[in-house]
Amino acid sequence: MPFTELCIYQVKPQKLEEFEALMQEAQSFLAEQPGLLLLRFIKRNYRIDMEQIKDGLPPLPIKRIVKSVKYMLYWEFDTKENYGIAQKNLYNSYWKAIEKCLIMPHDKYLGEGLF
């Protein structure tokens, strides 16, 4: 089963352009990691409430920034070992620049695929 990480970044409002440019630059580097199966980078710019869900309506756009803008990095690897190598490579390259854009350290959710 693939090994997966979902990483959530809470970016300072004044660092949005810098963060997006940095992640755009890092994309090709991340995509070249050994054993990488899938890479996605997502900006949270919609929300959904119970009315949308019950009525089958599309999500609503987020119109204002309260504290931060959230981004998610999702990547899958063929093995935990290749994931570990990719983490080391990220740490030695873009990690510090990424962290400077955040209001707090990023969250990592790790696991193996179930289906």
Side-chain angles (χ1 to χ4, degrees):
M1 292 310 253
F3 190 79
T4 301
E5 174 192 275
L6 173 62
C7 189
I8 299 176
Y9 302 101
Q10 296 182 59
V11 178
K12 299 172 188 173
Q14 67 273 22
K15 296 283 190 172
L16 296 180
E17 288 182 26
E18 179 180 341
F19 182 77
E20 287 186 16
L22 180 62
M23 294 307 282
Q24 183 71 36
E25 179 185 323
Q27 177 187 4
S28 60
F29 173 80
L30 297 173
E32 294 172 356
Q33 298 306 303
L36 181 70
L37 303 173
L38 180 64
L39 174 66
R40 295 281 187 262
F41 185 62
I42 304 155
K43 179 179 182 180
R44 180 181 181 243
N45 45 14
Y46 289 91
R47 65 179 180 80
I48 194 162
D49 61 28
M50 204 42 101
E51 289 303 313
Q52 270 71 34
I53 293 170
K54 287 179 183 177
D55 295 338
L57 299 172
L60 301 168
I62 294 174
K63 295 182 179 177
R64 64 186 177 98
I65 298 171
V66 174
K67 183 177 167 184
S68 66
V69 175
K70 291 185 181 177
Y71 293 82
M72 289 136 298
L73 176 68
Y74 177 89
W75 50 352
E76 286 183 359
F77 289 85
D78 57 353
T79 65
K80 289 182 281 200
E81 292 75 19
N82 279 334
Y83 167 77
I85 292 167
Q87 283 299 299
K88 179 181 179 184
N89 292 340
L90 181 60
Y91 183 79
N92 289 330
S93 57
Y94 291 95
W95 194 293
K96 290 177 186 167
I98 290 170
E99 291 289 314
K100 289 179 183 177
C101 296
L102 308 180
I103 63 168
M104 62 188 313
H106 61 280
D107 290 329
K108 287 184 180 291
Y109 299 93
L110 308 173
E112 294 172 335
L114 296 177
F115 50 85

